[in-house]
């Protein structure tokens, strides 16, 4: 009986950990840096990827600020770090972070409307 209880407790803990990881990843993606080209729920076919790239290019082109466009393009599409972008643009890392947050907010508003 004790052995069965320990097995049940073990699997309860594992399920809890898995659920926590899924929630954490969703929160992290929703709150911070959500990917512009990848949806973990559904894999894309080749044509879906092309449509996604076109959508991303259109959204970036619609951004009002060229600096915000540059920051997002380099951070997300070219996989650079904030420090690398800051050095290239001759600004502080905190400024890059603020531009990123501001531009991501604009992108979210554009996508929701």
């Amino acid at each position: 009986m004790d052995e069965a209880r320990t097995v049940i407790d073990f699997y309860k803990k594992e399920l809890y950990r898995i659920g926590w990881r899924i929630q954490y990843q969703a929160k992290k993606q929703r709150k911070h840096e959500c990917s512009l080209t990848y949806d973990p729920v559904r894999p894309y076919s080749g044509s879906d990827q092309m449509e996604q790239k076109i959508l991303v290019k259109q959204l970036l082109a619609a951004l009002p600020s060229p600096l915000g466009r540059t920051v997002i393009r380099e951070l997300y599409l070219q996989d650079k770090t904030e420090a690398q972008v800051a050095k290239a643009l001759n600004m502080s890392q905190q400024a890059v972070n603020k531009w990123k947050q501001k531009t991501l907010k604009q992108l979210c508003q554009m996508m929701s409307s």
Side-chain angles (χ1 to χ4, degrees):
M1 186 71 174
D2 286 335
E3 187 175 314
R5 192 71 176 139
T6 57
V7 170
I8 291 171
D9 288 340
F10 171 77
Y11 284 112
K12 277 184 179 178
K13 286 180 185 178
E14 282 301 305
L15 284 173
Y16 177 80
R17 286 183 189 134
I18 291 169
W20 186 87
R21 281 188 214 124
I22 291 170
Q23 285 180 334
Y24 177 76
Q25 288 290 42
K27 180 180 176 184
K28 181 177 162 186
Q29 193 173 28
R30 188 175 56 245
K31 189 173 180 183
H32 294 291
E33 301 175 2
C34 93
S35 174
L36 296 176
T37 58
Y38 175 69
D39 182 3
V41 175
R42 138 181 113 88
Y44 291 110
S45 67
S47 63
D48 285 343
Q49 287 177 349
M50 286 302 293
E51 291 172 10
Q52 198 72 1
K53 285 180 182 180
I54 291 170
L55 175 65
V56 168
K57 285 182 181 181
Q58 288 174 344
L59 286 171
L60 285 176
L63 286 171
S65 168
L67 185 58
R69 234 178 285 144
T70 303
V71 167
I72 294 298
R73 185 179 298 115
E74 290 188 11
L75 286 175
Y76 291 101
L77 301 179
Q78 297 176 1
D79 290 328
K80 292 184 178 180
T81 64
E82 287 182 359
Q84 291 171 329
V85 174
K87 188 174 182 180
L89 296 175
N90 201 20
M91 58 190 334
S92 69
Q93 182 177 349
Q94 291 82 6
V96 169
N97 189 302
K98 286 183 181 183
W99 272 104
K100 176 183 78 170
Q101 296 301 326
K102 178 181 175 181
T103 308
L104 285 176
K105 237 180 231 183
Q106 291 173 343
L107 276 173
C108 287
Q109 289 173 350
M110 289 168 43
M111 291 175 67
S112 66
S113 61

